[in-house]
Amino acid sequence: MKFGKFGSSIILAVLYAALARGTPMPFAAKHATHHVREISSDLKLESYHPPTSYQTFGSGIDHPLRKRQDATVESSSVAFVESQLGVKTEEVNVKSTAETEEASHAYLQQKLNGIPFANAVANVAFNKNNQVVAFGSSFVRPSKAASSIPSIKVEEAIATAERTLNGKFLVEEFPAPTLEYLAKEDGTASLTHVFQVRNEDGTTWYEAFVDAHTGELVSITDFTANAAYRVIPITSHSPVDGFKTVTDPQDTTASPRGWHSNGNSITTETAGNNAISYIGKHKNTTAQSGPGLQFIYKHDPSKEPFHGKNADAARVNAFYVVNTVHDISYKYGFTEKTFNFQNNNFGKGGKGGDRVNVSVQDNNGTNNAMFATPPDGQNGAMVMFLWDLSIPGRDGALGNDVIAHENTHGITNRMTGGGTGRCLQTTEARGLGEGWSDAFAEWTEQKSATIKDWTIASYLLDNMSGVRFFPYSTDTKTNPLRYFELSRQTEVHIIGEVWANMLHNVYAALVKKYGFSKTAHTDPTGGEGNIVFLHIFMDSLSLQPCNPTFVNARDAWIQADVNRYGGANRCLLWTIFASRGLGVKADSSYADDTTVPSDCAA
Ligand SMILES: *[C@@H]1O[C@H](CO)[C@@H](O)[C@H](O)[C@H]1NC(C)=O
Ligand SMILES: *[C@@H]1O[C@H](CO)[C@@H](O)[C@H](O)[C@H]1NC(C)=O
Ligand SMILES: *[C@@H]1O[C@H](CO)[C@@H](O)[C@H](O)[C@H]1NC(C)=O
Ligand SMILES: *[C@@H]1O[C@H](CO)[C@@H](O)[C@H](O)[C@H]1NC(C)=O
Ligand SMILES: [Ca+2]
Ligand SMILES: [Zn+2]
């Protein structure tokens, strides 16, 4: 088979270069031809689409049947493809045609042994002057093709796909299964049984390609669009860092049915299994801006929070951050069994019916935010106010750090003392609560092994100093806070600053020792310092007593390290805590003590 003229020679070069090397293509080189889909937590499937050549021709070029009165779009396009690619008539099949105001279009498939290819296709467009104005092709020249007679029965193929994709082939509703060739990355062509499989609630809907000779599920078409949210990414601080459209941010381990389904019903608004975000006064959620869970609302920073689409952007961002915190904390241990916030627990323990209600632009306050944590089984309530310290005013729901801080109150109040919501009530325990909330928010925003000094709420206050007295820092000149501060403070946020700064120092020390994982938000399995930090952080919450003191919380950290890491970080933890006065002899007098256990002494 001869491949002709424009562009296609380059395609072949690319194709065969990849073949010859036999090495995996670099990541970005796969964007145009591959897509990896995470079907479930333990199944990833990579689909392959042969490289496409595409040319446009301005005012048009001729095709072989242009002068023929009886030529149709179908016959003209087949003749054109034959002339361009050197294929025979029986190797081309017209799948469909379409008429638009300005052009006629034909969509073709490559055929082999009378059977069409699913992923080797072409399209030809003719202008009103009956000249070709566009031609695209992903036709292939297979090195080897499977027999056109299947050796696996279609029923068997369906059973495999239904099991693997956790859905059903609906005989009454779906088109009958077909046989199609599938061009593979290794240059061969497989024969496949092709049919649709959808799960009960319609959140997944695939076309399955099962090899008709091996019985393996070899590829899928995903009919659902990616969910997309225009938000301030979780590692960013505020609108100042910019909005981005993130696609499919949901984690399928933490949120097995995604962010818009509880497994029984699906929504197309800022409401789902983990959270609902709405404007406080009317309880209105934001609906998708386009089909397939697109939430694209442009925020205008020059306008007030109520103006135009700003309220939508705020609800979408709050929904995104709360769901992301759900998914991150889930992976580090805040699950159904440890009393998290979900409507449906999918039979995994704990009480459901308690997703987080997020009230955005709540009009019962200003310049603040709140989180109420009733016992497991009742909704968490996050309340985000507007901030009027700048012109225009700012929306609490766009301060990612403040949302993460509030959300962490839910985590710590549920995990401490077994889901009662009763165990962070003393001044010292509430102070710890404020500290964990700042520390978790900081964790989400540190981006590299250089742990930077960090402040909270700088965007909402429109002041880089943020809302606390000192930035969190390892430098005692930048942040001098020590344990003895508790002897003269009663305000819980100030007490919290002392704890959060100790944790900042622990964080920096662990990252210094073990490095930094850039995938820690989604992958908690590594040994990097930021991963170790969050594991000990979360593990310690379930270990500590009801209404813990600083001393108790420190002991729970050291115990959590024993449980998970065999005490590998015992001296590191003691050294950091002692460096800020929470040493071995620290007690309820709140006097600073810098003693470490004798085996940790330098
Ligand atoms: C504000 O407070 C009132 C009464 O305290 C309550 O009914 C209402 O739900 C609260 N939230 C909003 C957004 O008004
Ligand atoms: C919310 O709902 C109320 C009452 O249904 C309606 O008047 C208002 O325009 C809605 N507001 C937004 C921001 O969607
Ligand atoms: C949360 O919202 C639900 C309705 O979705 C309501 O029934 C419940 O009372 C709310 N809970 C809190 C604590 O705001
Ligand atoms: C920012 O906050 C700090 C600390 O409260 C204050 O000293 C400073 O004046 C503020 N800056 C501005 C520009 O308001
Ligand atoms: Ca729960
Ligand atoms: Zn707080």
Side-chain angles (χ1 to χ4, degrees), residues 39 60 64 138 146 148 154 174 212 214 225 315 319 354 360 391 481 492 525 539 543 552:
I39 307 295
S138 62
S148 61
V154 67
F174 293 159
T214 68
R315 276 174 288 196
F319 183 77
D354 62 354
V360 172
I391 297 172
L481 292 173
V492 294
T525 59
D539 289 353
L543 283 173
N552 300 150

Side-chain angles (χ1 to χ4, degrees), residues 120-431:
V121 297
N123 64 305
V124 182
F126 304 87
N127 63 12
K128 288 172 176 165
N129 201 23
N130 193 16
Q131 290 196 298
V132 174
V133 288
F135 174 46
S137 164
S138 62
F139 274 33
V140 292
R141 186 168 58 174
S143 56
K144 193 162 136 251
S147 155
S148 61
I149 314 291
S151 48
I152 298 276
K153 284 207 184 77
V154 67
E155 292 75 19
E156 201 179 315
I158 290 172
T160 300
E162 287 184 335
R163 200 172 53 243
T164 315
L165 298 172
N166 186 27
K168 285 263 170 284
F169 166 67
L170 305 175
V171 187
E172 313 269 293
E173 221 173 296
F174 293 159
T178 54
L179 267 180
E180 296 180 51
Y181 275 111
L182 194 68
K184 305 281 286 286
E185 188 172 10
D186 66 3
T188 65
S190 299
L191 184 73
T192 56
H193 289 294
V194 183
F195 50 88
Q196 297 177 16
V197 172
R198 194 175 72 190
N199 76 355
E200 274 163 40
D201 61 19
T203 50
T204 65
W205 191 346
Y206 301 111
E207 186 174 47
F209 297 83
V210 176
D211 193 303
H213 294 292
T214 68
E216 242 184 302
L217 176 67
V218 286
S219 191
I220 52 169
T221 307
D222 187 354
F223 290 134
T224 62
N226 295 341
Y229 308 85
R230 189 173 161 81
V231 295
I232 303 148
I234 188 75
T235 49
S236 295
H237 190 71
S238 72
V240 178
D241 303 314
F243 281 76
K244 275 209 184 91
T245 296
V246 299
T247 52
D248 281 342
Q250 70 278 6
D251 183 293
T252 53
T253 304
S255 300
R257 296 305 182 98
W259 288 353
H260 298 270
S261 169
N262 59 15
N264 304 313
S265 61
I266 52 172
T267 71
T268 52
E269 51 188 306
T270 53
N273 199 47
N274 309 324
I276 174 171
S277 75
Y278 49 74
I279 297 292
K281 201 167 168 192
H282 300 292
K283 305 262 185 279
N284 350 21
T285 53
T286 281
Q288 63 185 8
S289 56
L293 300 175
Q294 307 292 298
F295 292 88
I296 312 296
Y297 291 98
K298 195 145 189 269
H299 175 251
D300 181 349
S302 70
K303 297 283 168 32
E304 290 293 339
F306 297 111
H307 188 275
K309 299 291 176 208
N310 283 359
D312 286 307
R315 276 174 288 196
V316 171
N317 192 63
F319 183 77
Y320 158 78
V321 175
V322 173
N323 274 288
T324 302
V325 169
H326 169 277
D327 288 0
I328 293 173
S329 60
Y330 191 101
K331 298 208 114 168
Y332 286 85
F334 186 43
T335 65
E336 298 88 352
K337 289 191 185 68
T338 52
F339 322 107
N340 75 353
F341 301 96
Q342 291 180 192
N343 271 2
N344 188 344
N345 281 359
F346 309 110
K348 296 179 190 164
K351 290 191 180 141
D354 62 354
R355 69 178 172 189
V356 179
N357 292 1
V358 186
S359 177
V360 172
Q361 300 190 353
D362 193 285
N363 55 1
N364 283 347
T366 50
N367 303 333
N368 213 335
M370 283 173 28
F371 196 101
T373 314
D376 192 28
Q378 288 175 259
N379 299 103
M382 183 183 292
V383 180
M384 304 304 290
F385 300 129
L386 294 172
W387 296 60
D388 60 11
L389 305 171
S390 56
I391 297 172
R394 296 187 167 179
D395 192 321
L398 299 180
N400 281 9
D401 55 345
V402 175
I403 304 173
H405 171 105
E406 296 309 330
N407 211 152
T408 306
H409 281 306
I411 299 172
T412 55
N413 275 286
R414 282 284 174 83
M415 289 186 87
T416 305
T420 62
R422 292 175 174 168
C423 285
L424 296 179
Q425 293 298 312
T426 61
T427 301
E428 198 166 339
R430 291 182 83 94

Side-chain angles (χ1 to χ4, degrees), residues 426 428-429 432 436 483 499 540 543-559 582 586:
T426 61
E428 198 166 339
L432 287 166
W436 285 308
Y483 181 55
W499 181 239
S540 76
L543 283 173
Q544 68 194 0
C546 195
N547 289 313
T549 62
F550 272 49
V551 167
N552 300 150
R554 176 205 64 197
D555 289 349
W557 271 66
I558 288 164
Q559 183 60 45
L582 192 60

